Amino acid sequence: ESTQLLVLATPSPSPTQYSFDALVKLTKNQNYAVQQEAERVFQARKRVRAAITNLLPHIRPRSILAVAFTGPAGLIEAVGDILPFLFPSNWFNARASRRLAEAEDYAYASLRGNELYDVESLYYSYARDRILAQLIDQHLAWYEQVTKRLLAEEQAGTLARGSADYFQVNALKLKEDRSNLTEILWSERLALLHAAALDSADATLDFDTITAITLDGAAPLDFGPFQATSITNSFELKSLDEMINASYYTRKAIWFSYLDPSSDAAIGFGMGIPIQISRSQTREIEVLRTSTESLVKQKVIDSVLMFNESIKRYEIAKAESDSTQREMSRLIQRHDAGDSEADPTK
């Protein structure tokens, strides 16, 4: 007796489409780099709290041992723990920690903004390439249709052998371009999934399509106003400004640390070296700030120049496309009219 097995086909899961707004929201909350920077912001804020609590009376084991073994004389060393708010170095350390925390806040905002900008750019590139893939598929279908028709006429003897070669060669070139574009689309999709902290192995995850953006009537931009706004609002520059301010407070804390009996600062021939190192660190950050401001200006110029050139390339490509379509239509009309000499390569 044979046993018949009923095999039920499991339907493939329907793809999950993420809109641009959903992608931005996921990137804000789940992006790996953003999450790491958020933890650094948390740590910086806790360091501020620790610096403030250090202004309150506290006691350390070494102060207890100093009092136990040396008696009242040990209170001199313990005064930095019992009355820490009397020493300016502790106040300067607290202010430096607060400035560094604010620098981390700006760094977090900068990182998240950069990640969102990269995701937005990649999203539009992905959408553009999908539109381009559809256009290539349409042209391939047209080439194959024309090639099939010409081959049939070659076999019938109404056209000379090789008349369809031009369309066959162009179809093969388009197929190669389509294959390369498929690889690019796959890479862009994986990069978007990674940016949003989504499972890149899930083949059902994808993103909504958008309509093609037209540049008809777009006016060129001037980079001047964008440059001024970018410098004023740059989170990178604000973060570096706070780091410079923090370095000033750190240097003052070093100066006054020699007054605190509980500090490890030693008075001697090398007491000026930490101050010199601190000044050098401040100058280093100032140079970095100048360099960053220059990069901000450069990126604004690059972006505006790219936009203006895109308008020109769009107009050229549109004119070329219209001209090519008219020429191909003319050749097809000549061929349909019986002109066997119509050659698209001439």
Side-chain angles (χ1 to χ4, degrees):
E1 182 179 357
S2 61
T3 303
Q4 293 182 350
L5 298 178
L6 179 62
V7 180
L8 298 177
T10 303
S12 57
S14 58
T16 302
Q17 301 288 125
Y18 287 95
S19 65
F20 173 72
D21 292 336
L23 178 63
V24 168
K25 185 176 181 180
L26 287 172
T27 304
K28 281 183 178 179
N29 300 325
Q30 299 182 184
N31 180 269
Y32 299 118
V34 171
Q35 290 185 58
Q36 293 177 18
E37 185 62 31
E39 293 299 331
R40 285 192 283 269
V41 170
F42 173 81
Q43 295 165 18
R45 290 176 178 174
K46 289 300 179 182
R47 281 193 287 270
V48 173
R49 184 174 180 82
I52 293 175
T53 55
N54 283 337
L55 294 173
L56 302 175
H58 55 273
I59 196 69
R60 284 181 286 187
R62 73 175 185 181
S63 299
I64 298 175
L65 293 175
V67 174
F69 285 98
T70 63
L75 292 174
I76 297 177
E77 183 175 351
V79 70
D81 295 339
I82 300 174
L83 302 172
F85 51 83
L86 294 179
F87 299 96
S89 60
N90 294 326
W91 289 96
F92 287 127
N93 282 327
R95 292 179 182 177
S97 297
R98 186 180 297 278
R99 292 296 187 179
L100 289 175
E102 292 178 359
E104 283 292 348
D105 287 340
Y106 286 126
Y108 173 75
S110 172
L111 176 65
R112 189 169 65 172
N114 290 336
E115 290 293 329
L116 292 177
Y117 171 79
D118 291 340
V119 166
E120 181 178 1
S121 300
L122 187 58
Y123 180 87
Y124 284 120
S125 296
Y126 181 63
R128 176 204 61 198
D129 291 340
R130 290 173 74 175
I131 295 173
L132 180 58
Q134 293 174 358
L135 292 175
I136 292 178
D137 291 339
Q138 293 174 6
H139 280 280
L140 271 175
W142 182 82
Y143 269 121
E144 290 174 355
Q145 181 182 0
V146 173
T147 301
K148 183 178 180 180
R149 177 181 172 183
L150 294 178
L151 288 175
E153 295 186 19
E154 286 183 16
Q155 292 178 357
T158 57
L159 279 180
R161 293 289 181 180
S163 299
D165 289 349
Y166 170 81
F167 294 94
Q168 285 182 317
V169 170
N170 280 275
L172 291 173
K173 291 179 179 179
L174 271 182
K175 287 181 179 180
E176 183 179 1
D177 293 339
R178 184 64 173 86
S179 177
N180 294 332
L181 187 57
T182 299
E183 183 178 350
I184 293 173
L185 283 168
W186 184 257
S187 300
E188 290 172 340
R189 174 183 167 275
L190 291 179
L192 284 171
L193 291 173
H194 177 76
L198 295 172
D199 185 7
S200 58
D202 190 346
T204 66
L205 300 181
D206 209 341
F207 304 95
D208 289 346
T209 57
I210 60 175
T211 57
I213 299 175
T214 177
L215 292 179
D216 290 328
L221 301 176
D222 179 18
F223 64 83
F226 292 98
Q227 228 176 33
T229 303
S230 298
I231 293 175
T232 302
N233 298 333
S234 172
F235 289 118
E236 291 91 342
L237 295 179
K238 291 180 179 179
S239 177
L240 291 171
D241 287 338
E242 294 299 336
M243 292 179 66
I244 292 173
N245 292 332
S247 69
Y248 294 151
Y249 288 121
T250 299
R251 185 155 60 251
K252 291 181 180 179
I254 294 174
W255 269 112
F256 288 99
S257 63
Y258 299 104
L259 301 178
D260 187 353
S262 62
S263 72
D264 295 326
I267 299 176
F269 293 104
M271 62 181 299
I273 295 178
I275 302 298
Q276 295 172 357
I277 295 175
S278 177
R279 287 174 178 165
S280 175
Q281 291 171 339
T282 301
R283 292 194 298 269
E284 180 183 1
I285 302 174
E286 290 173 342
V287 171
L288 179 59
R289 194 215 182 270
T290 303
S291 172
T292 303
E293 181 176 340
S294 176
L295 288 175
V296 170
K297 293 179 180 179
Q298 176 184 334
K299 287 185 178 297
V300 170
I301 295 175
D302 290 342
S303 299
V304 171
L305 179 62
M306 185 181 301
F307 177 80
N308 293 340
E309 291 301 317
S310 295
I311 296 176
K312 297 179 182 178
R313 287 194 294 267
Y314 174 81
E315 294 173 348
I316 294 173
K318 185 178 180 181
E320 183 179 3
S321 175
D322 293 342
S323 176
T324 301
Q325 289 181 7
R326 288 194 300 268
E327 177 65 16
M328 296 305 297
S329 298
R330 184 182 63 82
L331 290 171
I332 294 297
Q333 290 174 358
R334 286 178 56 189
H335 175 76
D336 291 342
D339 185 359
S340 60
E341 298 298 325
D343 187 353
T345 62
K346 296 181 180 180

